[in-house]
Amino acid sequence: MRIIAGSARGARLVPVPDGVRPTSDRVREAVFNSLGQFFDGGEVLDLYAGTGALGIEALSRGYERATFIEKNGRATRVIRENLARAQLSDRGEVLRGDVAEVLDRLVLEERKFHLIFADPPYKMPPREIGGVLERLAALLASGGRIVVESGDPPPMRTTESLKGATRRYGGTLITFLERSKHTMKLAICPGSFDPITVGHLDIIHRVASIYDHVVVAVGKNVKKGPKLTAEERARLIEKVTGHLENVSVEIIDGLLVEFARERGAKVVVKGLRAGSDFESEFQQAQLNRMLYPEFETVFIMAAAEHSYLSSSAVREIASYGGNVRGLVPEEIQDIVQRLYVDGQAPTSDRG
Ligand code: PNS
């Protein structure tokens, strides 16, 4: 076992005492290939440290200080010996004790670490690992990372403040965690919705399953002179999306890009039916991008069974007293029939 890179490159480490599972050189190399090769200062915490190889490798590659926690008395002596062999004794501190207890003490001292290695025994119960991860979340410096080595995926649900990705190296799982930044992915679904159809609702459902939150934005002054006011159209949408927790309905009284900017949204999602929708959508997307360069227009293909459906068809059928069953959501069918019945049949549009 040798230090792979940095100031102590090539230093041979004392082997791990019996009963302590070492992190293989191959896994250690893979971990640093993901974390980065060299570093410019920062504090490292190495739990269940074993030989201390991970923490010492981090010191060798530029971290300023490392704190090792290890319960096994012989292992603590091995870590000290290995720090000495790497000529890094002055930058390492070895704390002997139960990991959870030592972590509680560090939390009380308000210590912060930029890189934390946790290599808990593979047989440790998930609840206990979850408890350790919660403490680690409190010890993580801003922008810091936690690397967990395990046999099974670590119990992520107990640590909602952390997010990460797991990779497999042979029989070892390595999970890289960082503090979740709580950046909600917001999508805007704009339209005239005069009235909302089952095709619109299908698109809204699908967008809501991809994004954290969806704002259905009802255009107030749409060119085609809507039959209902924006408030009335919005109310119909609220009636049929009430069960979707991450969907809200608002009215756009101005430019879509300004509406999006005010809400910090960078994505607009639109449903696309046959080729004929493309021309006008393409133009709108280009214009919106000119006005707000970070703004992306995402298209979702309409379901085949909705390809014939449009608000204008609904308006036309309803205006002659025809039955719009199956074309608009059931909860609003009666009200749509009533509101649109006596109007003049609209001229063609795609809404
Ligand atoms: O149902 P529609 O006709 O596709 O919806 C059109 C809507 C409301 C999305 C569009 O008219 C719109 O974005 N209106 C807001 C005003 C605006 O930003 N216009 C410039 C678009 S290039």
Side-chain angles (χ1 to χ4, degrees), residues 190-192 219 222 224 254-256 270 281 284 287-288 350-351:
S192 315
V222 281
K224 43 199 143 177
L255 286 178
L256 174 63
K270 300 205 83 177
E281 291 299 349
Q284 284 184 53
L287 288 169
N288 284 334
R350 60 155 298 260

Side-chain angles (χ1 to χ4, degrees), residues 67-341:
T67 302
F68 299 85
I69 309 178
E70 176 56 64
K71 194 173 187 169
N72 179 312
R74 269 183 311 143
T76 57
R77 284 192 291 279
V78 167
I79 297 167
R80 286 198 183 94
E81 168 66 20
N82 283 336
L83 278 165
R85 286 179 171 218
Q87 302 191 338
L88 292 164
S89 299
D90 54 333
R91 286 158 55 196
E93 168 192 26
V94 184
L95 305 174
R96 184 175 172 190
D98 175 77
V99 165
E101 282 171 27
V102 177
L103 289 180
D104 282 339
R105 217 168 66 221
L106 295 176
V107 171
L108 272 179
E109 290 168 8
E110 297 185 8
R111 294 277 300 271
K112 294 286 176 205
F113 298 90
H114 303 87
L115 180 60
I116 301 179
F117 293 114
D119 180 7
Y122 281 10
K123 59 184 184 318
M124 185 183 265
R127 191 138 52 87
E128 228 173 284
I129 299 180
V132 168
L133 289 179
E134 269 168 24
R135 291 170 171 94
L136 296 187
L139 290 167
L140 197 61
S142 145
R145 286 173 291 178
I146 300 176
V147 181
V148 184
E149 186 178 335
S150 57
D152 297 315
M156 308 290 290
R157 245 181 237 126
T158 50
T159 58
E160 272 164 6
S161 57
L162 298 173
K163 71 170 168 56
T166 300
R167 287 176 213 157
R168 177 179 286 281
Y169 302 97
T172 305
L173 294 179
I174 300 286
T175 302
F176 297 86
L177 296 166
E178 54 189 28
R179 207 184 295 287
S180 62
K181 295 183 184 77
H182 294 292
T183 44
M184 276 227 303
K185 281 278 177 214
L186 184 64
I188 297 181
C189 269
S192 315
F193 302 107
D194 189 30
I196 183 167
T197 67
V198 290
H200 289 133
L201 189 57
D202 177 51
I203 298 284
I204 293 167
H205 268 118
R206 288 158 63 193
V207 179
S209 73
I210 301 173
Y211 291 90
D212 295 323
H213 192 86
V214 180
V215 178
V216 180
V218 183
K220 184 163 186 153
N221 304 309
V222 281
K223 279 188 230 126
K224 43 199 143 177
K227 172 96 171 92
L228 301 188
T229 65
E231 289 72 18
E232 287 167 327
R233 286 175 279 140
R235 217 169 301 137
L236 291 181
I237 302 170
E238 275 169 1
K239 261 187 197 298
V240 298
T241 57
H243 63 290
L244 296 171
E245 267 180 21
N246 62 337
V247 173
S248 54
V249 185
E250 292 188 44
I251 291 168
I252 315 184
D253 188 7
L255 286 178
L256 174 63
V257 288
E258 292 312 324
F259 179 88
R261 230 194 280 263
E262 279 164 19
R263 284 155 187 78
K266 295 204 170 103
V267 178
V268 58
V269 184
K270 300 205 83 177
L272 208 54
R273 290 167 303 186
S276 53
D277 279 350
F278 184 77
E279 286 281 318
S280 78
E281 291 299 349
F282 187 69
Q283 186 189 20
Q284 284 184 53
Q286 301 287 22
L287 288 169
N288 284 334
R289 237 163 86 82
M290 255 188 64
L291 296 166
Y292 182 5
E294 302 98 272
F295 200 48
E296 289 295 350
T297 303
V298 172
F299 293 108
I300 290 199
M301 298 303 142
E305 64 268 32
H306 298 145
S307 52
Y308 61 90
L309 186 55
S310 65
S311 295
S312 59
V314 170
R315 289 198 300 275
E316 181 157 347
I317 294 168
S319 72
Y320 291 114
N323 194 334
V324 295
R325 186 156 157 225
L327 305 182
V328 299
E330 209 180 321
E331 307 94 293
I332 59 166
Q333 190 198 328
D334 288 349
I335 189 162
V336 166
Q337 302 272 187
R338 256 184 286 123
L339 290 174
Y340 287 84
V341 74

